[in-house]
Amino acid sequence: MGQPPSDRHRSYDLSLHTDASFRGFGHLHNYLGEPHPPFRRIGDAQDCRRHLQDAVCRPSRGQDRPRIGDIPATGCGRTTAGRGKIPAGRTARHQRLCRGRPTAMIDTNEFESLLRGHRYELFSGVPCSFLQPLINLASNSLDYVAATNEGEAVAIAAGAQLGGKKSAVLLQNSGLTNALAPLTSLTNICEIPVTGFVGFRGEEGVPDEVQHEFMGRITRQLLEVGGVHVIHLEASLPAAAKQLEEGQDYLRDGKSVFYLVSKGTFSSLDLKPPPQRAYQGGTLTISSCRDPKRPHRHDVLKIISGAKRHDTVLLATTGMCGRELFTIEDAPNNFYMVGSMGCVSSIGLGLSIARPDRKIIALDGDGALLMRMGNLATNAYYRPDNLLHVLLDNETHDSTGGQATASSCMNWPMIAHGAGYSHVASASTLSEVEQALDDWLAQPRLTFLYVSIAPGSISPLGRPTISPADAVRRLQEFMR
Ligand SMILES: Cc1ncc(C[n+]2csc(CCOP(=O)(O)OP(=O)(O)O)c2C)c(N)n1
């Protein structure tokens, strides 16, 4: 126990240490001038690690965290110079985090004024205990859309941003991987900037559950690789105000900005009881589903494209759907989603909330909807009348070679009905499609239109020549 750490330890980060590597922890504690931990067993790596992290603590940003290699390899290390290094690096926040003594933190109510000052209008997210005050704030007094996963939250925020409502997502870093597809292939390439507040679990030097350690280490890189500008939010209002200001420049340039939020950054704020919403049911118009002579996607899209008006917007899902729509007619009110598979109805939800004066038609595929079925629940919960969610079900991943999906064994109208859509219609002929469209345009209410289509696509098949970012700018111009 009292052996000095070997050279092997020198380059290691504390969080990477294993049971064996903790053999030098007694020496480390001598060096730090800390009392020895109360552990009896060397093998108790978790406890050792927590204790050591607590003792070392992360110094303020911009300074390197001390590593075991910083500690003299021999001797007890009780030198003034050596001991002085670490306390000097401790900020008030680290003392607060590590010692449990509250010092600086942001008053959540005052932060609301900052957010309002920067005209944030819509929030979407998935809860995180570190962000609890912010999520409670959004849920109590701001426009908050509770998403089923973080990718959905990003897509909802992007949809609202597309419609002119400045939007932010609230999520835990554990859910970042859920958000990566829309961050990399929607907000990034379409230049739809969203702001994010990310609960920073597993932050270096802050004791946390083991499952957060790895994600804590890669959070910043993950976001940066995803094309997001990252700012670690300071736990004081004036400093955070400056950082919010700094973020606006990135947003204006079309780049998303995410703020890492450490534990205890915001003062607590109670959640007001959310409005009670019960299953409302809806109407269901089922035709002869899956007619053997079902139409092709191209024919259905022709009808939908032909029905577009000055107040409609068509959002087409990933793959051949967007390409066929473009081939039929490229129009300023078309958005061809590339990537972000499964997110089209979430973009539609955000856009329909932001633009109640427009009628939004989200064209989905069975493979895509299967990928993010939680969207159905969120769409139904928020029930915007101006959203028509069309599922073009060919029971395959047509765009990638016709591989079967599980869709052939599913009853989609019943699923959408069970999720709580206001109205569900199904169509397996072109005249039924036409009828359902007319009904929705005449009486807008959240509608799920199930269309059974045949696999296959037209030939030759075009591909949007307009870039995703230009298509977004064109659509925004159209909606002005
Ligand atoms: C996250 C993700 N996984 C996989 C793909 C590859 N991919 C592109 S289109 C597609 C199939 C989509 O199937 P479906 O939604 O049923 O539409 P269809 O092609 O049948 O019109 C797949 C798997 C992707 N773009 N993104």
Side-chain angles (χ1 to χ4, degrees):
M1 209 147 139
Q3 285 171 3
S6 69
D7 280 353
R8 185 165 62 90
H9 295 140
R10 285 181 171 277
S11 58
Y12 279 23
D13 190 274
L14 268 182
S15 47
L16 292 174
H17 275 243
T18 60
D19 292 21
S21 65
F22 274 101
R23 290 211 174 92
F25 79 107
H27 167 68
L28 175 62
H29 275 275
N30 284 339
Y31 166 76
L32 291 169
E34 300 280 339
H36 275 229
F39 316 127
R40 297 280 142 103
R41 287 186 304 116
I42 287 172
D44 206 347
Q46 281 302 327
D47 286 347
C48 289
R49 178 179 300 160
R50 276 200 199 102
H51 191 94
L52 288 177
Q53 283 179 328
D54 192 35
V56 173
C57 287
R58 192 174 66 79
S60 57
R61 280 196 296 282
Q63 286 182 266
D64 282 332
R65 190 165 73 98
R67 289 162 184 266
I68 285 194
D70 294 339
I71 292 147
T74 55
C76 71
R78 286 184 188 278
T79 63
T80 320
R83 286 226 306 275
K85 265 191 207 168
I86 290 167
R90 288 180 182 169
T91 61
R93 189 171 76 196
H94 293 117
Q95 287 178 13
R96 170 166 52 81
L97 292 174
C98 301
R99 304 275 174 232
R101 274 187 255 120
T103 54
M105 66 167 59
I106 297 174
D107 180 313
T108 306
N109 288 314
E110 291 183 26
F111 196 70
E112 176 181 0
S113 311
L114 270 188
L115 291 172
R116 288 189 187 278
H118 281 291
R119 300 182 180 282
Y120 283 99
E121 289 187 276
L122 185 131
F123 295 80
S124 184
V126 178
C128 162
S129 56
F130 286 13
L131 288 182
Q132 201 178 341
L134 213 50
I135 289 172
N136 291 357
L137 169 74
S139 173
N140 291 348
S141 49
L142 303 168
D143 217 350
Y144 180 61
V145 178
T148 61
N149 66 67
E150 294 75 6
E152 185 191 358
V154 170
I156 291 167
Q161 187 85 31
L162 182 62
K165 252 187 198 275
K166 192 163 170 183
S167 303
V169 291
L170 308 171
L171 48 90
Q172 182 168 104
N173 56 347
S174 327
L176 268 185
T177 44
N178 289 338
L180 274 183
L183 281 177
T184 51
S185 61
L186 174 67
T187 54
N188 188 2
I189 62 158
C190 293
E191 296 173 21
I192 306 174
V194 294
T195 303
F197 294 93
V198 182
F200 196 6
R201 301 298 305 255
E203 182 181 353
E204 270 189 308
V206 182
D208 206 335
E209 306 290 333
V210 66
Q211 72 272 20
H212 295 297
E213 279 183 16
F214 185 64
M215 181 51 92
R217 281 205 296 277
I218 63 170
T219 294
R220 180 179 276 274
Q221 291 153 275
L222 212 52
L223 283 165
E224 285 172 352
V225 165
V228 172
H229 183 71
V230 183
I231 297 176
H232 197 152
L233 196 69
E234 292 290 345
S236 90
L237 194 70
K242 266 193 177 164
Q243 292 179 311
L244 265 191
E245 192 64 55
E246 177 194 338
Q248 304 310 304
D249 290 338
Y250 290 92
L251 297 173
R252 274 189 286 273
D253 284 350
K255 184 160 177 153
S256 297
V257 178
F258 277 40
Y259 294 90
L260 303 181
V261 179
S262 295
K263 184 178 184 179
T265 297
F266 288 100
S267 65
S268 68
L269 192 120
D270 289 339
L271 179 67
K272 289 186 191 154
Q276 289 294 318
R277 294 192 202 184
Y279 178 67
Q280 294 181 52
T283 49
L284 193 60
T285 315
I286 303 220
S287 74
S288 50
C289 269
R290 293 178 169 136
D291 192 304
K293 291 196 295 280
R294 52 204 170 142
H296 282 95
R297 186 200 297 106
H298 178 249
D299 298 315
V300 176
L301 290 180
K302 253 185 174 164
I303 289 177
I304 295 174
S305 179
K308 68 177 178 297
R309 313 183 315 198
H310 67 281
D311 62 346
T312 52
V313 174
L314 296 189
L315 309 172
T317 185
T318 327
M320 286 175 174
C321 181
R323 294 178 61 186
E324 284 195 351
L325 186 64
F326 171 82
T327 310
I328 290 162
E329 187 195 0
D330 182 29
N333 42 347
N334 288 356
F335 175 68
Y336 316 106
M337 195 179 81
V338 288
S340 50
M341 186 171 160
C343 290
V344 78
S345 75
S346 307
I347 301 172
L349 176 63
L351 184 54
S352 40
I353 291 171
R355 296 303 300 259
D357 57 326
R358 302 288 156 155
K359 296 200 171 57
I360 315 302
I361 303 177
L363 303 165
D364 221 339
D366 50 295
L369 185 51
L370 278 167
M371 195 175 264
R372 289 188 184 264
M373 275 179 73
N375 302 357
L376 288 172
T378 313
N379 298 342
Y381 187 79
Y382 291 96
R383 282 194 161 210
D385 287 334
N386 57 334
L387 178 62
L388 171 65
H389 186 181
V390 182
L391 175 61
L392 300 167
D393 179 20
N394 51 20
E395 302 168 16
T396 62
H397 288 115
D398 204 23
S399 304
T400 48
Q403 303 84 356
T405 67
S407 181
S408 59
C409 300
M410 295 171 68
N411 186 329
W412 283 106
M414 291 309 290
I415 289 169
H417 181 64
Y421 273 63
S422 310
H423 180 61
V424 175
S426 72
S428 53
T429 65
L430 295 176
S431 55
E432 284 171 345
V433 172
E434 231 161 348
Q435 184 61 53
L437 258 179
D438 289 349
D439 288 350
W440 176 71
L441 287 168
Q443 189 192 351
R445 54 196 163 148
L446 175 66
T447 296
F448 184 83
L449 172 59
Y450 172 81
V451 190
S452 173
I453 59 167
S457 188
I458 50 162
S459 175
L461 177 61
R463 192 183 283 278
T465 46
I466 183 165
S467 76
D470 282 343
V472 161
R473 285 188 272 272
R474 187 177 70 170
L475 180 56
Q476 285 173 325
E477 188 59 37
F478 174 85
M479 289 190 291
R480 216 156 262 150

